[in-house]
C-alpha cells in the first residue's frame, strides 16, 4: 500500500492536488527536540538508522528544534528533493508542534507536510511496555499484587491542555495493556510531578510503583524522572523497533491526508 501511495503522489493525481511530480517519495525528516546530553544525539541517530533499514530507498534526515546540530531549518535547506514530511519525535500536541515546527518549515524553500506527534498508538504502548519489562517490571501475579501495583507515565510536560490530554490518552492505553492503573506525570510545566504522582498512588495503597519513561532519548528530564522512581524505572524509548515502525506510520498518514481531502 505504501509503494502504491508513493506512485499515486508522484503521478497524475499529484498534479490534480497541485503537487509537482517527484522522482521518489518525499524525504522523511525526524524532528528531535535537542539536548545537551550527548547520548540524546547518538540515540536519535540510531533511531534514524533503524527507520532507514525498514524502508530502503527513503531519504531519512534528522533536524533539531534547538541545542543540537543540524537544526531543522538547516536540514530542510540541505534536501535535494522539493518535498518532505516532518515527523516530530514528540508525543503530544504542544507549543513545539503548533508553533516552532510550523514556523521553521514556513521558512524552508520546499513543500513540507507535518505529521502528527507519535501520540497514543498501540506501537508506542508496545515500546513502553517492553522498556518496562527490560527494566525489571513484571505483571502482578495475584489479586493482592494487582491492588497494590501502579505505573507512573513520565513525560516532559507542557502548559498546553491539549498536550496533557494526549498524555492521558497514552496512559489510558498503557493501563489497558498492563492491567493496572497508569498515572501521567510531568518533568516540568504541568502537574503532577513524578514524585507527587507516586505519593498520591501510595496514599491509595499502591506501593508497588514503576515509572515508564515516555521520552525519546536520554536527557535531563528523563534522568530527573527516573531518579524519583521508588523502584523500577524504564529507559527512554530510543531506537526501539516499534518506535521506528510508528515513525513510518505517521509519515504515511501525513502523505495520505491530501489524498483523503481531495477525495
Amino acid at each position: 500500500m505504501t509503494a502504491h501511495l508513493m506512485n499515486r503522489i508522484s503521478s497524475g493525481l499529484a498534479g490534480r492536488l497541485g503537487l509537482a511530480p517527484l522522482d521518489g517519495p518525499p524525504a522523511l525528516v525526524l524532528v528531535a527536540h535537542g539536548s545537551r546530553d550527548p547520548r540524546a544525539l547518538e540515540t536519535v541517530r540510531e533511531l534514524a538508522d533503524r527507520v532507514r533499514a525498514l524502508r530502503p530507498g527513503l531519504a531519512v534526515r534528522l533536524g533539531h528544534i534547538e541545542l543540537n546540530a543540524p537544526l531543522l531549518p538547516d536540514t530542510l535547506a540541505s534536501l535535494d528533493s522539493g518535498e518532505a514530511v516532518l515527523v516530530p519525535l514528540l508525543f503530544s500536541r504542544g507549543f513545539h508542534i503548533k508553533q516552532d515546527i510550523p514556523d521553521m518549515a514556513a521558512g524552508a524553500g520546499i513543500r513540507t507536510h507535518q505529521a502528527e506527534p507519535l501520540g497514543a498508538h498501540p506501537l508506542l504502548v508496545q515500546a513502553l511496555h517492553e522498556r518496562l519489562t527490560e527494566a525489571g517490571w513484571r505483571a502482578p501475579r495475584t489479586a493482592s499484587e494487582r491492588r497494590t501495583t501502579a505505573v507512573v507515565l513520565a513525560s516532559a510536560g507542557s502548559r498546553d491542555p491539549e498536550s496533557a490530554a494526549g498524555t492521558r490518552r497514552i496512559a489510558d492505553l498503557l493501563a489497558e495493556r498492563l492491567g493496572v492503573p497508569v498515572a501521567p506525570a510531568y518533568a516540568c510545566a504541568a502537574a503532577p510531578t513524578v514524585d507527587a504522582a507516586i505519593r498520591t498512588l501510595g496514599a491509595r495503597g499502591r506501593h508497588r510503583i514503576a515509572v515508564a519513561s515516555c521520552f525519546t532519548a536520554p536527557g535531563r528530564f528523563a534522568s530527573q524522572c527516573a531518579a524519583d522512581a521508588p523502584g523500577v524505572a524504564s529507559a527512554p524509548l530510543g531506537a526501539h523497533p516499534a518506535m521506528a515502525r510508528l515513525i513510518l506510520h505517521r509519515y504515511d498518514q501525513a502523505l495520505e491526508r491530501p489524498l483523503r481531502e481531495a477525495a
Side-chain angles (χ1 to χ4, degrees), residues 72-73 76 95-108 114:
L72 178 57
L76 295 176
F95 186 81
H96 293 314
I97 295 286
K98 296 178 179 180
Q99 194 71 44
D100 285 336
I101 297 174
D103 285 352
M104 291 179 179
Q114 184 170 323

Side-chain angles (χ1 to χ4, degrees), residues 101-192:
I101 297 174
D103 285 352
M104 291 179 179
I110 64 170
R111 182 183 297 109
T112 60
H113 309 268
Q114 184 170 323
E116 291 297 314
L118 299 180
H121 190 277
L123 287 169
L124 177 60
V125 172
Q126 176 187 341
L128 287 165
H129 185 187
E130 291 181 7
R131 286 287 188 245
L132 273 173
T133 302
E134 291 166 3
W137 188 85
R138 61 173 176 81
R141 297 172 181 171
T142 65
S144 175
E145 280 190 349
R146 188 170 292 106
R147 287 193 297 270
T148 58
T149 298
V151 170
V152 171
L153 179 71
S155 66
S158 168
R159 293 181 179 86
D160 190 319
E162 193 174 355
S163 175
T167 304
R168 285 194 296 272
R169 285 194 292 273
I170 297 170
D172 289 345
L173 283 181
L174 184 60
E176 288 178 14
R177 182 173 180 119
L178 300 181
V180 300
V182 176
Y186 307 94
C188 73

